[in-house]
Amino acid sequence: MSQQRIKFQYRVIDERAGQDQPPLLMVSIHHGVVRRDTLTDDLPRAEDLSNYKLCEPGDIVLNRMRAFQGAIGISPQRGLVSPDYLVLRPGPDVDARYLHHLFRSTWFVGEMASRLRGIGNTENGAVRTPRINPEDLGDIAVRFPSLNEQHQIADFLDIETARIDALIAAKSRQADALEQRRAVFERTAIAGGFHAMTTDSGIPWIGKVDLRAEIVPLQRITLLQRGVDLTEEQRRPGNIPVVTTAGISGFHDQSVAPGPGVVVGRYGSAGSVHWIEQSYWPHNTTLYVKNFNGNLPKYCFYVLRNLPYEMEQARSAVPGINRNDIHKRMMPLLPLQQQGDVVTEIDSYVAHTNASVAAISKGIDLLAERRQALISAAVTGQIDVTTARQPHLPSPGSASA
């Protein structure tokens, strides 16, 4: 098995669509090449798709900016892809499935990452618009097995990775189910039930409120304030967390709000709610609790975390949460003693759920590592797939899954 540059195993296809308009495809890290409309309802960035590239069934498509993260796949159909993608057509002596597995192996990903063209590096996320160029990709030297060996390796990996993927999917469903049960538990603990109730004001609250609770506008429980931006003078490193829509994003040496605090995302991940133990700086992409009105901060956190947030276009070109509308929502106001009981109950359940989800996530990570190690070992010849016998993997529905 001689070593040669990978470019001799495929042709780079650069055929543009023109008036030909097959379905628009995209490359997903987790799903490979799929129709774009199965993953998003957003319109494509370009209205005119005539400059997009054409790909055929069996072509390998790489997202040049994310190939080192696994954004590579085999096209299942004829379609259009971004003009920035690479479309590779395997040669007559190449099994496309083998080439696809090779491209996603740890060794090959490392080779691609070392050839990225951009500013910075991939380890700290500082690369600006990193791309793998077709010339650099083709220059990677590999030992390519015979076509028959490629078939054997691809068959082996197709079966084994499918079994691991099924286990990962089953574990992911377990984690999702736990998170859903956690959300239901929180709402039930706060509201004492779980069906629609409408107040005299016509503003709905999801939940049957405990008869001991007073039904009041949210502004009786807590007041929200828009976050503030950082000036250039204030953009200094420190130990005060800066809370954005996505959560804590950096630190500096000044604070705006004392802890503990609650922050709600206004844009992007709107409705994401964060609990902050210490003093913090709420960024202008958020709303933060300015006044708890004598209520327990953690109770206010759980109330806000379970609001059905809605995005609005009003007063801004960017959809966001309207603070005044949130203040009008009717909520259950429990006495302080009962607030404490609710918080204790929810905290305990959340801690148990988080521990269970963390254990499942660790199992998913181990399976993903095993999958990656198996691919790398098979395509680099570290294992003989004709004699390899993998330890039995339980089916996704079994108790050990």
Side-chain angles (χ1 to χ4, degrees), residues 352-396:
H352 177 74
T353 299
N354 289 344
S356 298
V357 170
I360 292 173
S361 297
K362 183 177 180 180
I364 290 175
D365 290 342
L366 290 173
L367 283 169
E369 290 175 9
R370 177 178 178 179
R371 185 185 194 279
Q372 198 63 25
L374 190 63
I375 292 173
S376 297
V379 299
T380 56
Q382 296 177 43
I383 58 173
D384 181 359
V385 300
T386 62
T387 59
R389 292 291 183 269
Q390 292 301 309
H392 175 65
L393 289 174
S395 63

Side-chain angles (χ1 to χ4, degrees), residues 19 70 104 160 166 178 183 306:
Q19 298 302 310
R104 293 176 66 93
E160 295 302 326
L178 287 173
N306 288 282

Side-chain angles (χ1 to χ4, degrees), residues 11-25 33 49-62 75-89:
R11 290 187 296 119
V12 178
I13 305 299
D14 191 8
E15 184 180 354
R16 303 298 167 132
Q19 298 302 310
D20 196 355
Q21 298 288 306
L24 184 59
L25 310 177
V33 181
L49 303 181
S50 62
N51 194 43
Y52 274 51
K53 293 180 179 179
L54 285 169
C55 67
E56 301 291 340
D59 286 347
I60 294 179
V61 184
L62 290 85
S75 179
Q77 66 178 92
R78 190 168 189 268
L80 296 179
V81 296
S82 166
D84 194 51
Y85 284 2
L86 276 180
V87 178
L88 310 177
R89 188 159 297 162

Side-chain angles (χ1 to χ4, degrees), residues 66-80:
R66 304 184 70 188
F68 71 96
Q69 297 174 321
I72 304 168
I74 301 176
S75 179
Q77 66 178 92
R78 190 168 189 268
L80 296 179

Side-chain angles (χ1 to χ4, degrees), residues 68 105-115:
F68 71 96
S105 67
T106 301
W107 171 79
F108 199 89
V109 166
E111 291 293 317
M112 283 194 293
S114 68
R115 290 167 169 79

Side-chain angles (χ1 to χ4, degrees), residues 179-191:
E179 290 290 359
Q180 291 171 8
R181 288 172 61 185
R182 188 269 310 157
V184 171
F185 184 89
E186 285 188 20
R187 293 185 183 183
T188 302
I190 291 171

Side-chain angles (χ1 to χ4, degrees), residues 156-168 371 393 396:
F156 171 81
L157 289 177
D158 284 350
I159 293 171
E160 295 302 326
T161 57
R163 293 169 67 188
I164 294 175
D165 288 344
L167 281 174
I168 290 175
R371 185 185 194 279
L393 289 174

